Amino acid sequence: MPSLRPIHNRLRRLLGIGHADFLAGAVERWQICPPELAAIAPGIWLPDQVEHIARTEFGALPDILAQMRGNPAEPTPATMGYRFRDVDFVDGVLHARGADRHLRQRRHSGLTYSRPRESLSGALYESWIGNRWFGNWLLNDCLAYRLAEGAGAPVTSAPPRAGHVARYEELLGMAPRRIGDVHFDELILFDDLHNNGHRRARAQENRARVLAGHDPSPRPGVFIFRGASGDARILENEAEIAERLEAEYGFSTLYIDRMDADELAQAAGTTRLVVGVEGSQLAHGVIAMAAGGTVLTLQPADRVTTSLKLLTDCWRQNYAMVVGSGTAGGYRVEWDQLRRTLDLIATVTARNPAPEVS
C-alpha cells in the first residue's frame, strides 16, 4: 500500500507552512545530560595563518576564527533523547506525519513509497554526516551508539563493511541490528552533538575500549599519511614531510591502506602528537590519543575548516593548524612553517598540562 507522507510533507512546504522540525513530533523527550558551561581550548596556529586563508569550508571565516579562539566557559546544550511512534524508514529517509529526516542520499525519486512490510522498535544512532564521512561515523555515531545500547535495541541502515569499520565495531562492542526499509512502531533518536561532560566521558570510554590490551612504548609523534584517499586534498610534498618528521623528530608514519585498526590505534595511543592532512584519516589518531595530546592538521588555502576541532574538543585534545599554499587539488606546506608550528605546540602544551579525565 503506498504512503502519501512525502506528498503531504511537500505540500506543507509549498503552502508556506514550512518544513516541520522532526524532533518536535516526539511523543516523549528526556534529558540525558543537562546544559553546562564547557571549557573549549583555543586552537594553535602561527599569527600569520589567517592571511593565508583563501576560502573556508563548513563555516564562514568568523566561525573559523571563533573556533580557534576557544572559550573558557562556552554554553553547551543538553544531550537529549526522543521517542517517536509510527515512523517509516524508506530509502534513507525517516518519514513521520508532517516531517521527514534524511540520513542517507536517496537512491530513488518519487512522491510516494510503498509502506514497509517489516515493523520493529529500536534506537537509531546513525547520522547524515556519519554516513557520509568515516571520521564522523567513528567519532560521532559511535558515541551515540553508547546511548542507543542503553535506551533500547541499537539499529542502523549501514550494511556490514570490512576493513577498519568492521574492526572498530568489534573493538567498541557494537552489534547493531541492520535494517533496510522498515516501519518503526517505536523509534528513539538522540540529539548528541554537544561536547558536554556526558559526551566527553563516552569518548574516553570508547578510547579505552579501542586500546584495551595495548601497552606500547611511547612515540614522539605519528604522521597519518592520506595520499589520494577520500575527497581530494593533495599535499604535493606529503612524502617529504613524513620523511623529515621521521628523521628530525623521530615520528612514525602510519598508512591507512596498509595498516589495520589495531595497528593504527596502538601507534596513535602511544603519542601526544598526531599530524596529517586535514581529513577523516586523522580520526584514527583522535580516538586513540590521550587527552592533552595535539592533532595538527595541514590544510589547503581554499578549504580551511575547523570541523575536526569540534571532535578534538570532545576528546579533550588540542587542535592545531597550518594553512599551506595552493588548492585542494594540489598544495604545499613549507617545512619552516611546519617546524615553527611544532615549536609553538611544544610551548603551548608545556604551559597547559593535560586535563584530568575520569
Side-chain angles (χ1 to χ4, degrees):
M1 179 177 178
S3 172
L4 300 180
R5 285 183 178 179
I7 295 178
H8 177 258
N9 294 342
R10 182 169 295 188
L11 283 174
R12 287 177 56 92
R13 294 191 289 272
L14 291 175
L15 293 173
I17 300 176
H19 193 283
D21 178 7
F22 192 92
L23 298 180
V27 298
E28 180 188 357
R29 63 189 63 205
W30 62 97
Q31 194 175 88
I32 297 169
C33 179
E36 60 184 43
L37 297 179
I40 305 300
I44 303 171
W45 58 355
L46 297 172
D48 64 348
Q49 291 300 281
V50 177
E51 303 167 9
H52 295 268
I53 298 175
R55 191 175 69 83
T56 61
E57 188 87 356
F58 308 123
L61 182 58
D63 301 319
I64 303 296
L65 298 180
Q67 277 287 311
M68 292 300 284
R69 281 194 297 269
N71 188 340
E74 180 167 297
T76 305
T79 297
M80 299 291 298
Y82 299 87
R83 190 184 311 276
F84 302 82
R85 294 195 177 97
D86 187 21
V87 177
D88 292 332
F89 180 69
V90 177
D91 196 18
V93 182
L94 292 168
H95 297 276
R97 291 192 179 99
D100 51 44
R101 185 182 182 100
H102 291 247
L103 296 179
R104 292 182 176 276
Q105 185 70 40
R106 294 182 61 191
R107 300 186 303 272
H108 310 291
S109 59
L111 294 179
T112 64
Y113 61 80
S114 297
R115 288 189 180 276
R117 296 182 179 180
E118 182 181 10
S119 294
L120 54 84
S121 296
L124 195 61
Y125 62 93
E126 68 185 276
S127 66
W128 175 275
I129 58 173
N131 286 331
R132 172 65 177 82
W133 287 289
F134 164 78
N136 291 101
W137 172 80
L138 183 61
L139 302 178
N140 279 330
D141 292 0
C142 291
L143 287 185
Y145 182 89
R146 305 268 78 95
L147 299 178
E149 67 181 353
V155 297
T156 180
S157 68
R161 294 168 64 182
H164 296 138
V165 170
R167 181 54 179 156
Y168 275 120
E169 286 188 332
E170 292 176 359
L171 292 171
L172 294 171
M174 297 171 63
R177 177 174 179 176
R178 301 188 185 275
I179 60 172
D181 292 352
V182 299
H183 174 80
F184 283 102
D185 295 323
E186 184 174 271
L187 169 67
I188 295 175
L189 296 177
F190 306 98
D191 181 3
D192 184 42
L193 290 178
H194 312 297
N195 291 327
N196 50 46
H198 194 280
R199 191 167 195 262
R200 288 180 170 186
R202 281 180 279 127
Q204 293 304 313
E205 177 186 348
N206 276 8
R207 175 178 183 266
R209 286 172 179 259
V210 166
L211 293 179
H214 293 306
D215 187 22
S217 301
R219 303 173 193 236
V222 298
F223 184 86
I224 303 182
F225 202 91
R226 181 178 177 87
S229 64
D231 296 342
R233 252 154 286 163
I234 306 301
L235 179 58
E236 294 174 343
N237 59 333
E238 186 174 18
E240 174 191 337
I241 287 174
E243 291 171 3
R244 292 196 68 168
L245 286 172
E246 289 179 5
E248 300 185 26
Y249 287 86
F251 271 50
S252 299
T253 300
L254 311 183
Y255 297 91
I256 58 173
D257 58 341
R258 308 176 197 172
M259 304 172 73
D260 61 29
D262 296 82
E263 293 171 307
L264 294 166
Q266 180 175 343
T270 68
T271 187
R272 301 183 65 80
L273 186 55
V274 172
V275 182
V277 172
E278 193 281 332
S280 280
Q281 88 285 353
L282 292 180
H284 296 288
V286 174
I287 197 170
M289 185 170 60
T294 302
V295 174
L296 170 55
T297 62
L298 312 180
Q299 307 202 29
D302 70 335
R303 196 190 180 282
V304 173
T305 175
T306 49
S307 58
L308 192 60
K309 187 178 187 301
L310 297 172
L311 301 171
T312 58
D313 287 343
C314 181
W315 262 258
R316 306 188 72 181
Q317 297 157 349
N318 298 301
Y319 179 85
M321 181 195 307
V322 173
V323 181
S325 57
T327 69
Y331 71 105
R332 296 181 62 83
V333 169
E334 299 307 321
W335 177 252
D336 182 66
Q337 188 182 29
L338 178 55
R339 179 189 57 77
R340 290 187 292 119
T341 303
L342 291 172
D343 290 344
L344 179 60
I345 291 170
T347 300
V348 170
T349 54
R351 190 169 60 236
N352 302 309
E356 294 183 4
V357 294
S358 56

